[in-house]
Amino acid sequence: MDDISILLKEAKPMYFERKRKVEQLKKACLVLFVLFSTSISGLSGYIFKTNQMANTLPVEQVASYYNDIDDEMSESMYPLDDYGLITVKY
């Protein structure tokens, strides 16, 4: 019985030290996870906003694009009805 109590006295400081290190490691992992997740979400928002700004066209260019499409449809080799749709004969 005395041998067990001596072993427990020797192991007690090592047990608590290991327990403290594990807790510190868990806290460090949590902090790294939070930092990583916030940086990824901020970066993805920045990339999305930048791409969205790069993909926008001025109104004049958009209007000229649609006018070109209308001109192409009116000069099409297919006959068009009053609504600009291709007429189909049965």
Side-chain angles (χ1 to χ4, degrees), residues 56-68:
T56 57
L57 293 174
V59 175
E60 297 83 18
Q61 287 182 352
V62 173
S64 68
Y65 175 75
Y66 283 116
N67 288 337
D68 292 343

Side-chain angles (χ1 to χ4, degrees), residues 69-81:
I69 290 177
D70 290 339
D71 293 341
E72 289 175 9
M73 288 299 289
S74 64
E75 298 170 0
S76 150
M77 61 182 194
Y78 300 108
L80 302 177
D81 62 1

Side-chain angles (χ1 to χ4, degrees), residues 40-53:
I40 290 297
S41 66
L43 183 63
S44 65
Y46 174 75
I47 290 171
F48 176 73
K49 188 174 185 180
T50 310
N51 286 342
Q52 188 178 18
M53 290 171 51

Side-chain angles (χ1 to χ4, degrees), residues 8 11 13 23 50 55-56 61 67 87 90:
L8 287 176
E23 289 297 320
T50 310
N55 291 335
T56 57
Q61 287 182 352
N67 288 337
T87 56
Y90 290 100

Side-chain angles (χ1 to χ4, degrees), residues 2-3 7 18-19 22 36 40 43 51-52 66 81:
D2 292 334
D3 295 335
L7 287 174
R18 186 176 61 198
K19 186 176 178 181
V22 168
F36 181 73
I40 290 297
L43 183 63
N51 286 342
Q52 188 178 18
Y66 283 116
D81 62 1

